[in-house]
Amino acid sequence: MTVLVFIDSDFPAGRIADANQPQLFATDLGATRGDGIFESLLAVENKPKKIQAHLDRLASSATLLELEIPTAEQWRAAIDTALAEFDQPEAVVKLLVTRGVEGAKQATAWVQVSPLPALGKQQRERGLTVILLDRGYDSEVALRAPWLLLGAKTLSYAVNMAALRYAQQHGADDVIFTSADGRVLEGPTSSVLIAKVSEENGSQLKRLITPQLDSGILPGTTQGALFAAAQRAGWQLGYGPLEPKHLYEADAAWLISSVRLLAPINSIDGQQIGEDTQRAELTAELSAILASTE
Amino acid sequence: MTVLVFIDSDFPAGRIADANQPQLFATDLGATRGDGIFESLLAVENKPKKIQAHLDRLASSATLLELEIPTAEQWRAAIDTALAEFDQPEAVVKLLVTRGVEGAKQATAWVQVSPLPALGKQQRERGLTVILLDRGYDSEVALRAPWLLLGAKTLSYAVNMAALRYAQQHGADDVIFTSADGRVLEGPTSSVLIAKVSEENGSQLKRLITPQLDSGILPGTTQGALFAAAQRAGWQLGYGPLEPKHLYEADAAWLISSVRLLAPINSIDGQQIGEDTQRAELTAELSAILASTE
């Protein structure tokens, strides 16, 4: 079952639409040009998680694409309507905006609520087999070439989907993109995290590191929430630059995202990452920290 | 007026659908992931131009995206149905295929026929102001990274659209993308051509050059048709590599595509290309050659 709620000025709480009927015009620039933006988030007990972080990132994507999008109030009302209609303990909530029907100069915006895919939980529990794939861009291009829309979460995800298919055909579950200048970037639908654990003056020092955010990657809302909470729990934080060798030398590494949450990486390009027991312990510790966030 | 004809196994000639009603599911991966491919072509007197070249390129895009698409016969039947319904002296025909509704494992495929935009003719007549923009990729990445889908005409066109908006905001009509290693690539919706005219042993030597096709660009169907016809008319042909200096040294340069056809470039980054009279003469000569093709 999928619930759709369109944002429509005639319906202050959003307009519920039948997902089993066509709802988009064939000339919508979302469908013909991938010209739009989106967010995916988790809802628990009809309450969206990290809603403000997602609305903020949606607004930032909209700025990069020069799209006028609905207000935060309109989104919140439509999300509430959709979640009340769906009414399940857990749900995936997607916010989508396209540039609208060709020539109409009016964005199409809707909320989609659907069940959690079973695969996410499985991958979180058994861990991921990952391969590194070249993203083609160098890590500085985002700053000099805003038209490449790096840092915007656009509907033009064909390359992300192709990278995941390529991984599956090569016996892997997921991908970490690297830049042309050899930096670790992000997954096609996730952020990259590593942990380094060391002893210093007899006490344990735990450090959580993610690639630097100005390298043309999407700022991860779940990475952001975990970082804030982990710091409160005594972890040190670091922001790249990361190279593949840092992944191989890590005590644990994860792909983190809003719906699959913290998924441990068992191996990258066939090389085991960290040690099984420590990886499981660190995953349990950080998952508990993440679960404590809003 | 827009005519839509969906490819549907229950309708051998295609299923005509009302473009003024929603026809796509909101969960179609074309709309939510830009996961699909397309072609745009011109039809004159209800006859599509270069139809086989477009069907061939669509098939090649489908291979890169691992999409199962309708047969050439199904496309031809649907195009004929749509053109008969539209019935105008000239039309833009789009062929679109998405990966279909999430989970359904069945492509969505349709033909859209609509009027020619007025802008194309204007730009052909008055010429283009162009800027160079970095495409971020180096010219060899297509060969080593097939997951980047370079060479496929995907629905993930948000960057191409953003580049055109950037050009318009900077007083230009269009863009030529360059590679990270300084090569001339293509326009966001067109191929690049230059002409060099020289005297050799008292006779005029005319050379038409386009960037090499293995540099991660889309093989242009109109460039291909013009090259074949120009060779028959005595022109020499060349395939890059081209750098920006070759554009500035050209006797004329064009952006060429299926609907706007051969549009002369007046200037690139503020620098005039060639000389007005010669540019006009070469444009007239090559436009006549192009008009003589199927």
Side-chain angles (χ1 to χ4, degrees), chain A residues 79-278:
Chain A
I79 292 166
D80 286 349
T81 300
L83 285 172
E85 182 78 9
F86 188 73
D87 199 21
Q88 298 290 322
E90 290 187 308
V92 179
V93 178
K94 286 186 83 170
L95 318 181
L96 302 106
V97 192
T98 78
R99 203 172 297 278
V101 170
E102 210 165 330
K105 295 182 194 302
Q106 157 99 44
T108 309
W110 72 100
V111 174
Q112 174 188 315
V113 176
S114 52
L116 247 65
L119 186 64
K121 186 160 179 283
Q122 288 165 25
Q123 291 183 333
R124 225 164 36 230
E125 287 169 359
R126 68 171 185 232
L128 298 170
T129 300
V130 167
I131 56 173
L132 299 181
L133 291 184
D134 186 352
R135 184 65 187 84
Y137 297 126
D138 69 65
S139 61
E140 289 174 4
V141 75
L143 300 174
R144 63 173 196 270
W147 51 86
L148 298 181
L149 305 178
L150 296 167
K153 196 168 170 78
T154 79
L155 295 175
S156 284
Y157 252 44
V159 167
N160 303 51
M161 299 296 104
L164 289 175
R165 280 196 303 278
Y166 187 92
Q168 282 149 19
Q169 283 156 8
H170 291 77
D173 301 304
D174 215 319
V175 168
I176 293 177
F177 282 127
T178 54
S179 68
D181 51 344
R183 298 281 174 81
V184 171
L185 297 175
E186 62 191 345
T189 65
S190 59
S191 310
V192 175
L193 281 188
I194 66 169
K196 289 291 284 179
V197 181
S198 56
E199 295 287 331
E200 213 160 277
N201 304 324
S203 72
Q204 203 183 41
L205 208 150
K206 288 186 287 192
R207 202 169 147 77
L208 205 50
I209 310 164
T210 198
Q212 79 273 29
L213 296 178
D214 64 356
S215 56
I217 64 175
L218 212 62
T221 58
T222 316
Q223 169 268 315
L226 177 62
F227 262 43
Q231 190 170 40
R232 288 192 296 272
W235 285 70
Q236 294 202 324
L237 307 180
Y239 295 88
L242 292 180
E243 295 170 19
K245 67 174 179 192
H246 298 114
L247 300 175
Y248 295 121
E249 293 164 4
D251 292 304
W254 299 270
L255 292 180
I256 186 168
S257 52
S258 293
V259 174
R260 193 175 58 186
L261 303 171
L262 192 69
I265 298 173
N266 296 334
S267 70
I268 299 176
D269 284 345
Q271 192 168 328
Q272 181 172 326
I273 305 299
E275 180 273 315
D276 288 347
T277 311
Q278 190 180 29

Side-chain angles (χ1 to χ4, degrees), chain A residues 2-6 15-21 23:
Chain A
T2 294
V3 171
L4 298 177
V5 174
F6 280 79
R15 175 173 54 80
I16 296 177
D18 184 352
N20 297 311
Q21 294 296 324
Q23 297 293 352

